[in-house]
Amino acid sequence: MEQIVLDIQPISGDHHLEKVVLDVPAMWADHHVLKVRAVLTSLEGVQDVYASSAWKQVLVSFDPSKISQAAIEQALAEAGYPVGAGEVPVLVQHDGIRRDPRWEVLGARVTKTNQVDIEMSGEFRKY
Amino acid sequence: MSRYIATRAIRGANGIVAEAEALLKKAMAEKGPKAHVAFPNTAYYLPVIYGMLGIQVTKLEDLVPVLEHAKNLLHPVPEENLWTPYLGETLDCGMATLLAAEAIEGIRFALGEQPEPYPGLRLAGGTSFTSPEFERAAGDGHLNGPIDDIQLRSWGIQLVDGRMPGFAAIVGAARTNRAAVAIVRELQRRNILIFLSGNVNGRSIIDQLHEEGVEMGYDTYIVPFGRDTISAIYALGFATRSALTFGGMKPGQWREILLYNKYRVFAFVLALGEVDDLKYAAAAGAISYGFPVIADTVIPQILPTGVTRYEHVISMPWNEIDAPTDEEKAAKLVQRAIEVRGVKVKITEIPIPVPYGSAFEGEVVRRKDMRVEFGGKNSRAFEYLYMADWDEVEDGKIEVVGPDFSHVPMEGSMDMGIVVKVAGRKMQKDFEPVLERQIHYFINGASGVQHIGQRDIAWIRISKAAAEKGFTLRHFGDILHARFHADFGAIVDKVQVTIYTDPKAIQEWLERARQAYHERNIRLANMTDESVDTFYTCTLCQSFAPTHVCIISPERLGLCGAYNWLDCRASHEINPTGPNQPILKGAPIDPVKGYWPGVNEVARKLSQGKVQEVAMYSIMENPMTACGCFECIMMIIPEANGFMVVSREDPSMTPAGMTFSTLAGMAGGGLQTPGVMGIGKYYLTSKKFISADGGFKRIVWMSSILKETMAEELKAVAEREGIPDLIDRIADERVATTVEELLAWLEEHDHPALTMPPLL
Ligand code: SF4
Ligand code: SF4
């Protein structure tokens, strides 16, 4: 997460701003980003928004004398992007039955996920 | 295969299919299940869905089975510790994503939300001539939305002859505006078509280019689809339609369509900025088409090949590209993308101070942006190329005789003549006009320079921007010298260019040039099918329509209008194993219908047996096949005992009850359909024009744009046919768009076709 925080230019001279990072799991594609930004930037007191659909997080800089974090979260929830809830729906659940019969054989080969993949997908990801 | 990618792509696919379902439900509740769904100006319905599933979506409810199918393609997200080859699952999910994304765009059209409004944007080349209703509805600006059929076909020919090597679908936003411009310029330089969509944190490369004043639109080969990933589906719709249009595939032949794209369409995806679930999912869809993905961020790579021809997913983090400037980084990124896709691009370095590439060919220099013009209303410009003796030509010598344009007031004009002298061991007098016509394309390739017309009606503009960068008259010579060597090296060995602005010299050379034009005209007019023993094939379009072959004779040019008999002869000299092969026609079997043993034999061989015989002068019996690039379509109107001719530029309804786009589907694909034929528009003026079926007198309806743009030539034809007012007796879309109206008009104007022998 640190990288994204660093990407935001500090707004110079203005020390009244607060910054929060909110998890918004329903924002997983860039058309959601457009909507989330539209919602947040229209709020009085919100100064800057960085919305990342890749990390499903938004970073909001706001003036606490004008708007509260709770109000921001409520605006998001009303727009269909509740904070910390509403994961991407997965329509197909595991049922243990593989579609391709050859996979029955391969199913026995349980291994660990490739370390490189883990590194790139976790904290070490360098974007 | 990366589990990281698979997980995200599968999750993204599940999400977008769920969203599409929810949106469809909502739209059906609001608008009713019968509400109309269509992309504008295409005869291919929602093209990916039509191509992959064969379903013709015209109403909201038609999308229900599509999303059902998409749901069946979905898979669960891979488990934490289980290793399976999930490439198959990921690709299935990619396809589900494409179906869902296209459904969403279809619904957005039904709801009036597409094309996406974008205040202040003007598209270069516009979409207005094909979709006036959207131009109006969207007010002062909108993004492009799907590509229309007319544009698809006119790009088709460039994709075929290699002028345009392929397309790049860019998704997201570049690190900086400067990087965005650099990447796009780099692609343009290689004549690669550019499609834009998506955003990162609300910023899209479309915004970046717009802010930097880069012109977007069909004319500059930069097409902004929309600011979300979903609109990238228009790029895949374009790819699907190329397979259907040029490859002769049928809707529902999903496997063939995907393979066609893998092998014939050189496309790749550039993912700029963070990659989210949906972008991974859409990328999986692109990979099914054989299009690799190159990201400028750190993502896991998929290096093994198989589905694409080379690597599938490449990560090339922008800040790790070893180059000091954004421009150089862009060059490396694009270079890598091209290698990964296996695109072959040849670039010739042209020593001029402005960017150069055929992507700039369509660029328009408006009066207010112009520094100076040559020709047009207020001045005269001509160009003349001739062959000279070996010793008379000094290769690389470029001279400007007379003053340059620095003394001309801003937006003013002056007279100019470009004279090119060439010599070469294989050069022939007959190639002069062929080479001369290239001057148009060559000069147009410079950014900020516009060239219209040819011979003594040339009209050239230089923009202020180009002049500020130091573009001068001399650079015309630099361009011509470099390009003639690069493109016609097989026939010319020496090229010398002189630019005349001195009034006395212009007068002298203009007279000389006119004398030469005149001699060429006479020589061409005397050249008939009977006077030569060789015709030529053109199989350029076989990379798109594998069974199509054009047979080109002195009196019948190729249906794209770009190749006549002389061009083919020159092209055969340049590239003896190329697409233009001589046909020894032999003694005619039937000189009236135009059957020759040599022609039949070649047609059989080159069409892989699909076509057995070709009648050169008939549309009713074994007509020549068409690929998809034709300038006009002819079709029989049985009630009128004649034919109509519809031009590609004409979007209106015809008496056959179909528009050009719909007719194109019937005429193209390399099949012989008696009564339907694609033609080049100058074939209309030929003495051999469907001479076996009665010739030009059979034309009962023709697009008004043809009547207008070819007024002179058509008048000459009418006189030759002995009915000087014939053109006025031919109906057009302004007076008849149904058979009833047409018949009434023909009766009223006493059209000769009504009394000719019956066609059927
Ligand atoms: S392509 Fe190769 S690495 Fe990827 S899933 Fe298939 S077998 Fe595994
Ligand atoms: S002449 Fe025929 S085959 Fe050749 S490019 Fe034109 S349309 Fe295609």
Side-chain angles (χ1 to χ4, degrees), chain A residues 30 32 51-53 94 111 121, chain B residues 4 19 77 81 201 229 274 276:
Chain A
D30 57 16
H32 304 140
S52 163
S53 49
H94 283 282
T111 61
S121 52
Chain B
Y4 179 86
E19 242 185 86
V77 174
N81 269 315
N201 185 32
T229 312
E274 297 173 2
D276 60 36

Side-chain angles (χ1 to χ4, degrees), chain B residues 157 160 538-541 548-550 552 558-563 580 627 629:
Chain B
I157 180 73
V160 167
C538 185
T539 49
L540 252 184
C541 287
H548 167 71
V549 44
C550 273
I552 299 176
L559 51 86
C560 60
Y563 286 83
N580 302 113
C627 43
C629 312

Side-chain angles (χ1 to χ4, degrees), chain A residues 4 7 50-56 125 127, chain B residues 171-173 175 199-201 271-276 279 296-297 299:
Chain A
I4 291 174
D7 270 344
Y50 187 97
S52 163
S53 49
W55 300 98
K56 302 175 192 161
R125 218 180 98 116
Y127 170 65
Chain B
V171 185
R175 288 303 162 92
N199 71 65
V200 171
N201 185 32
L272 304 181
E274 297 173 2
V275 183
D276 60 36
K279 285 182 181 144
D296 75 343
T297 55
I299 59 169

Side-chain angles (χ1 to χ4, degrees), chain A residues 1 3-4 18 24 112 116:
Chain A
M1 244 5 274
Q3 294 296 324
I4 291 174
E18 241 174 63
V24 186
K112 286 210 81 132
V116 179

Side-chain angles (χ1 to χ4, degrees), chain B residues 406-684:
Chain B
S406 55
H407 70 283
V408 177
M410 259 313 166
E411 297 168 30
S413 62
M414 78 189 286
D415 290 351
M416 188 201 33
I418 300 178
V419 176
V420 185
K421 205 158 47 156
V422 300
R425 270 176 286 268
K426 290 221 183 151
M427 183 64 196
Q428 302 178 19
K429 195 110 192 98
D430 273 349
F431 296 161
E432 286 179 355
V434 176
L435 297 184
E436 191 178 275
R437 261 189 295 133
Q438 304 301 320
I439 296 178
H440 167 80
Y441 296 106
F442 292 170
I443 287 187
N444 249 339
S447 169
V449 180
Q450 171 187 328
H451 183 293
I452 295 173
Q454 17 65 34
R455 290 190 171 183
D456 56 348
I457 51 164
W459 178 13
I460 304 174
R461 280 181 169 181
I462 299 177
S463 73
K464 288 176 186 152
E468 272 158 28
K469 285 192 189 131
F471 192 92
T472 66
L473 289 174
R474 197 205 131 79
H475 292 119
F476 290 133
D478 287 321
I479 295 172
L480 295 174
H481 177 258
R483 287 290 309 263
F484 275 120
H485 273 292
D487 297 27
F488 293 90
I491 45 181
V492 297
D493 299 295
K494 290 166 134 194
V495 182
Q496 179 178 343
V497 185
T498 317
I499 319 280
Y500 292 100
T501 57
D502 172 62
K504 210 172 128 264
I506 289 189
Q507 207 42 49
E508 250 169 55
W509 276 96
L510 186 58
E511 263 155 43
R512 233 185 113 173
R514 284 194 173 144
Q515 179 61 30
Y517 303 149
H518 182 65
E519 282 162 17
R520 284 179 199 165
N521 284 349
I522 292 181
R523 179 156 162 61
L524 266 180
N526 290 339
M527 198 152 22
T528 61
D529 287 4
E530 291 79 26
S531 72
V532 299
D533 53 12
T534 324
F535 292 169
Y536 284 90
T537 62
C538 185
T539 49
L540 252 184
C541 287
Q542 284 207 343
S543 57
F544 272 129
T547 61
H548 167 71
V549 44
C550 273
I551 312 281
I552 299 176
S553 72
E555 291 178 276
R556 181 167 188 181
L557 81 170
L559 51 86
C560 60
Y563 286 83
N564 65 29
W565 187 81
L566 279 180
D567 295 311
C568 291
R569 198 149 70 113
S571 139
H572 178 67
E573 279 304 328
I574 296 167
N575 182 2
T577 55
N580 302 113
Q581 294 296 325
I583 307 171
L584 267 183
K585 61 182 178 145
I589 304 169
D590 180 341
V592 175
K593 287 182 177 154
Y595 284 110
W596 282 272
V599 170
N600 287 341
E601 190 189 320
V602 165
R604 235 169 270 151
K605 203 169 85 200
L606 293 180
S607 71
Q608 283 110 52
K610 270 264 166 70
V611 174
Q612 289 296 315
E613 289 180 302
V614 176
M616 291 290 287
Y617 309 138
S618 175
I619 174 174
M620 297 306 291
E621 193 180 297
N622 295 316
M624 192 127 79
T625 63
C627 43
C629 312
F630 30 70
E631 290 185 297
C632 304
I633 299 174
M634 285 182 67
M635 185 167 169
I636 184 171
I637 307 281
E639 297 87 340
N641 199 31
F643 301 97
M644 64 168 194
V645 186
V646 200
S647 148
R648 176 181 292 281
E649 291 90 1
D650 180 1
S652 51
M653 183 49 75
T654 69
M658 289 177 267
T659 60
F660 183 93
S661 330
T662 320
L663 281 165
M666 293 178 61
L671 301 171
Q672 277 181 323
T673 320
V676 186
M677 192 161 75
I679 59 166
K681 63 182 176 210
Y682 279 96
Y683 181 45
L684 287 169

